[in-house]
Amino acid sequence: MRGRGRHAVPGWAALWFVVFAVAYGTNVPTPLLLHYRATLGFSPTALTTAFGVYAAGLVPALLLAGPWSDAVGRRRVVVPFVALALVTTLAFLAVPAAPWVLFAGRFLQGAVSGVVFSVGTAWLGELMATTGDGGARAARLTAVALGGGWALGPLVSGLLGQWARGPAVLPYLVHVALMLPALALLPRVPETLPPEHRRTGGPLVNLGVPPGSGRAFGLVVVPIAIGVFAFAATAVNVLPLELEPVMPGIGVAVTGLVAGLTMGTGVVVQPLVRRLGTTWAGAIALALGAAGIALGLLADLTGAWPLVVPVSVLLGLAYGICLATGLTLVARLADPAARGALTGTFYACSYLGFFVPVLLAVVGGGHSFVPGLAGLAVVSALAAAWLATPAARALVTPRPSPTPPERPAPRGPAAPHPAAPPPPG
């Protein structure tokens, strides 16, 4: 079997790198938006639209890719879209000559991400299950791959875009250099969904929500999912645009730093989720998000751009805890036969947060993000309060399996009491 040699990279490790490499590329254009604003004359609304159009390509892909992979297998869905990720990155090189490519490229990046992140997450979880690792560890590894890629991509891009020659070229070539080994590693990843276990028939769009879990998913998982990128997008896209006038000569680099710090904090915080407990983690994440947005509003009103550093940490904590908590809840709720569909639904909900910068720009009339930031802080605080209630926590608390009734002790002389067996596990 492929990838089974003595010195071969394990299939799960190869797939982990593929997911990381694709995630790296998704945020490479983000710090360069300020460069494009200066060289191509884009307005703030156009830039937030370029950021949000990513979700327009991503959400349909998320909803379709999971059920598609449940029907035809993981490999047949993921491999062509990993190749498309490389092609899309090369297309961004044409943006200075053809500005419309920025919007088309972001849309294609969204479609690629929707497929690779949803199906790749399910695929990685199945590969980890075959090695005896639980779904929680697979969720943490996935969060590290995604968060690590999302953090390093804009950080490197921002530094190169600010000070390197060819600021609109070199950041993309770095991603090309990552994608080539990722494509070479894909043949080592074995298929985990044999034909006899694939879904046949059924609707084209399958949300994958098991019967009886609709309220838990809609009332608990969905708010957590939206918080993932609502907080990250606010840190990475809104604040740098608003504070650019007080950051002369360093705006692109600061944007890359903000993105790297936000996403990197989200990776570092992953182990904390287990200690917080899944039923409490969502409320804590949204409360941290509300605090971060409030501090960002203060930075916006005062022009104190160094505040973006603690804002990035707070919103990174919120993003990371939301992501790990949501993936853990999905693993807990999912029917194994529809894991790809439910994972895709979770990511579709999470990427709705990419529209938040556009919404904030519209609320402010395209001139100020202040009214939108204030409203987002209030909504986040209210959502945190709801998730902290006993009713919300009860929806996602695992119910203990019923214990069989004890059989009465046999009558007669007492028998010698045998040693108790060790507890399982």
Side-chain angles (χ1 to χ4, degrees):
M1 184 179 289
R2 284 177 286 185
R4 298 284 184 172
R6 178 180 298 179
H7 302 293
V9 177
W12 67 266
L15 182 59
W16 185 95
F17 182 79
V18 170
V19 174
F20 166 81
V22 173
Y24 180 101
T26 58
N27 280 326
V28 167
T30 301
L32 302 180
L33 293 179
L34 294 181
H35 171 79
Y36 295 138
R37 181 183 187 179
T39 58
L40 302 176
F42 284 142
S43 68
T45 301
L47 291 176
T48 54
T49 301
F51 194 83
V53 76
Y54 174 88
L58 184 143
V59 172
L62 286 171
L63 295 176
L64 294 171
W68 181 22
S69 74
D70 290 335
V72 304
R74 312 307 186 197
R75 172 180 296 280
R76 291 178 63 184
V77 175
V78 170
V79 171
F81 279 87
V82 174
L84 181 59
L86 174 60
V87 174
T88 302
T89 293
L90 291 171
F92 277 111
L93 298 175
V95 170
W100 63 269
V101 174
L102 176 63
F103 300 88
R106 289 294 287 167
F107 181 87
L108 288 176
Q109 274 192 324
V112 166
S113 301
V115 173
V116 175
F117 296 164
S118 62
V119 181
T121 296
W123 197 2
L124 183 60
E126 290 162 354
L127 286 167
M128 298 300 293
T130 62
T131 64
D133 296 295
R137 183 167 184 257
R140 291 195 301 274
L141 283 173
T142 303
V144 170
L146 295 175
W150 291 331
L152 288 176
L155 179 59
V156 174
S157 175
L159 295 176
L160 295 176
Q162 185 72 69
W163 290 299
R165 294 182 179 180
V169 174
L170 190 56
Y172 298 113
L173 295 183
V174 172
H175 184 233
V176 170
L178 278 176
M179 288 304 303
L180 293 177
L183 284 167
L185 284 171
L186 266 178
R188 299 182 180 274
V189 186
E191 178 61 69
T192 55
L193 195 64
E196 61 270 19
H197 292 160
R198 294 175 186 173
R199 181 177 62 88
T200 57
L204 179 63
V205 176
N206 174 22
L207 299 181
V209 181
S213 297
R215 292 184 70 240
F217 189 84
L219 297 178
V220 177
V221 178
V222 169
I224 293 172
I226 294 175
V228 172
F229 291 113
F231 298 135
T234 300
V236 173
N237 191 244
V238 173
L239 293 178
L241 280 176
E242 193 77 340
L243 294 169
E244 185 190 16
V246 296
M247 299 187 298
I250 57 172
V252 175
V254 170
T255 303
L257 175 64
V258 166
L261 189 56
T262 301
M263 301 303 181
T265 302
V267 173
V268 173
V269 77
Q270 300 300 325
L272 182 61
V273 173
R274 294 184 67 186
R275 296 190 178 186
L276 294 175
T278 307
T279 57
W280 279 104
I284 294 171
L286 290 175
L288 288 168
I293 293 167
L295 186 59
L297 181 60
L298 178 62
D300 189 3
L301 292 172
T302 62
W305 70 264
L307 285 177
V308 299
V309 173
V311 169
S312 300
V313 172
L314 286 171
L315 295 182
L317 290 171
Y319 138 76
I321 297 173
C322 281
L323 179 60
T325 302
L327 289 174
T328 302
L329 290 175
V330 165
R332 178 183 298 174
L333 294 174
D335 182 332
R339 181 176 295 160
L342 187 60
T343 303
T345 302
F346 168 78
Y347 279 120
C349 294
S350 71
Y351 276 99
L352 292 175
F354 266 84
F355 290 110
V356 167
V358 181
L359 180 62
L360 298 185
V362 170
V363 169
H367 304 293
S368 173
F369 288 103
V370 170
L373 287 171
L376 184 58
V378 172
V379 170
S380 300
L382 292 175
W386 153 246
L387 292 178
T389 63
R393 290 185 289 112
L395 289 174
V396 292
T397 301
R399 298 179 181 178
S401 56
T403 56
E406 292 187 9
R407 288 180 290 182
R411 297 181 181 179
H417 190 72

